[in-house]
Amino acid sequence: MTNKADKGACLNKASFTDSDWTNWKWQFSNRVRSLNGLAGLLGVPVDSLSSWEDVLHVYPVAISPYYLSLFDCADESDPLRRQCFPDPREIHFSLGGVDDPLEEERDMPVPGLIHRYSDRCLAIVTATCAVYCRHCNRKRLWKENVKFSQRRFQTMVDYIARTPELREVIISGGDPLTLSDEKLDWILGSLRAIKHVEVLRIGTRVPVTLPMRVTKELCALMKKYRPLWLNTQFNHPREITPDSARACEMLLESGIPVSNQSVLLKGINDDYETMKDLLYGLERISVRPYYLFQCDPVRGVDHFRTDIWVGMEMMEKLWHNISGLCLPRFVLDSPGGRGKIPFQPFSFLSDRKANLQTLF
Ligand SMILES: *Cc1c(COP(=O)(O)O)cnc(C)c1O
Ligand code: SF4
């Protein structure tokens, strides 16, 4: 993949055949994965990208041709480019941060399964993603390159089967929809066979980064395992495209509710107008805004973190102005693994000096 960007986009989809472009396996295997690939996109010599070389050793890169077609490579401040292009600040940080601020590893009764809240657990089934988001809070997993393993997953299933308080299982990663239909069928089928597991949930960014993955076959497969909910991650209004809208529409038509978990990202979506456009756009495509996450203090992500008060003030203004159907819950996943803490906007929050006591 070394096409120099046409005007306006890193990649012009017109340079590929339709049957390649719409084939998710082609999209997946043609992801840009190397410094050479990035140099080709930018039309610059590889040597000029040496500041990225060390970054890629720690945090690999992967960008689907589809996602590349949505932005201009030459624009370093582009909100989509920033989500997937390496940045030297990932390894040269000032404030540090830790690999696993949520201490997920501590709440794993068996490898890869996080059981933190009593009635639900989260299974990390693969570390692979269609696009590696530079702000990811599980970026520690990329280099371990955890692949799907039937044996590893069976151990999780055994734990879930002997833990009757678990009524919901979240299938996550990495991105579970990078797995084949056969593997997904087996995963969903194994969980569905457990009587006390009432609800399944898939966490995936594929509708945003590789919407071709949502095929008729995948929808038919997922439909068998309802109630099945799907949470995705649109972070910017420009990610809502005819392709991503179609993917969500197909899921919704199959009876799979689609919700969205955004991450609050500095310079990407931490201003009122951008967030409003994103939330309105999601409402238009019938995707329910569920959470807006304060960006966690993950090592190598510091440059994406916004002051929590900026987020609070933005949420308060949104809460006053836009439809309730568009409003996500603003939450902080507290460092140390104590779980999610909601920050509901109240009308008095903009006056930081307000004495809460006087209101009650
Ligand atoms: C966020 C999260 C969940 C799901 O929580 P919801 O509030 O139901 O979305 C489950 N397990 C872990 C470990 C989580 O971090
Ligand atoms: S798709 Fe999710 S798990 Fe994968 S890199 Fe992006 S945020 Fe992380």
Side-chain angles (χ1 to χ4, degrees), residues 62-332:
I63 320 173
S64 63
Y66 164 79
Y67 200 70
L68 284 166
S69 74
L70 303 182
F71 61 89
D72 175 1
C73 284
D75 179 1
E76 288 183 17
S77 65
D78 185 278
L80 276 55
R81 177 184 142 135
R82 285 194 56 216
Q83 289 183 62
C84 61
F85 266 52
D87 185 317
R89 286 176 292 183
E90 291 175 50
I91 53 170
H92 302 295
F93 33 74
S94 48
L95 285 175
V98 289
D99 269 347
D100 179 19
L102 309 179
E103 297 190 15
E104 293 185 330
E105 309 288 337
R106 205 189 55 195
D107 283 338
M108 286 185 187
V110 295
L113 188 86
I114 311 168
H115 186 188
R116 169 160 301 161
Y117 305 105
S118 61
D119 74 338
R120 57 207 188 279
C121 64
L122 184 150
I124 298 177
V125 296
T126 172
T128 303
C129 298
V131 170
Y132 286 128
C133 315
R134 310 319 289 179
H135 57 271
C136 179
N137 66 359
R138 294 206 189 106
K139 66 199 287 184
R140 67 179 187 278
L141 300 178
W142 303 347
K143 48 182 181 256
E144 289 167 32
N145 200 18
V146 180
K147 292 243 161 47
F148 176 73
S149 132
Q150 195 151 340
R151 213 178 54 189
R152 192 174 134 106
F153 187 70
Q154 189 59 52
T155 316
M156 299 188 205
V157 171
D158 295 344
Y159 173 83
I160 296 165
R162 63 174 187 265
T163 313
E165 73 202 64
L166 286 171
R167 64 173 288 279
E168 178 172 345
V169 178
I170 301 159
I171 301 151
S172 184
D175 198 319
L177 293 191
T178 57
L179 299 175
S180 67
D181 286 0
E182 294 70 34
K183 288 191 177 110
L184 285 167
D185 202 22
W186 183 74
I187 290 174
L188 293 166
S190 315
L191 294 170
R192 194 31 92 226
I194 304 171
K195 268 216 183 63
H196 55 266
V197 175
E198 295 175 19
V199 176
L200 300 174
R201 191 197 306 187
I202 291 182
T204 172
R205 215 180 168 201
V206 145
V208 183
T209 54
L210 194 85
M212 300 77 188
R213 174 67 185 100
V214 182
T215 59
K216 270 198 288 222
E217 294 73 27
L218 178 70
C219 289
L221 183 167
M222 287 173 51
K223 193 176 179 159
K224 292 191 295 184
Y225 298 109
R226 294 174 63 215
L228 171 60
W229 296 63
L230 186 142
N231 280 9
T232 190
Q233 186 195 139
F234 286 92
N235 289 327
H236 192 275
R238 275 191 14 237
E239 292 171 341
I240 303 172
T241 66
D243 288 316
S244 60
R246 180 203 54 88
C248 295
E249 181 71 16
M250 285 173 66
L251 292 161
L252 291 166
E253 281 178 356
S254 312
I256 320 268
V258 183
S259 307
N260 191 65
Q261 310 189 165
S262 298
V263 184
L264 184 66
L265 299 168
K266 195 181 202 161
I268 291 177
N269 61 15
D270 64 344
D271 66 281
Y272 174 78
E273 288 300 327
T274 306
M275 188 52 75
K276 185 185 72 171
D277 287 350
L278 171 63
L279 299 173
Y280 277 174
L282 292 170
E283 192 192 24
R284 272 198 300 277
I285 62 168
S286 306
V287 170
R288 175 76 158 104
Y290 177 56
Y291 280 145
L292 171 65
F293 282 107
Q294 170 69 5
C295 191
D296 298 321
V298 180
R299 179 175 291 143
V301 170
D302 204 49
H303 52 292
F304 285 114
R305 300 186 72 220
T306 297
D307 187 293
I308 192 134
W309 286 103
V310 172
M312 297 267 248
E313 281 173 16
M314 185 185 78
M315 283 308 297
E316 183 179 317
K317 189 166 169 195
L318 289 164
W319 188 72
H320 281 303
N321 287 292
I322 75 172
S323 160
L325 287 178
C326 300
L327 284 175
R329 257 188 300 170
F330 183 38
V331 294
L332 168 93

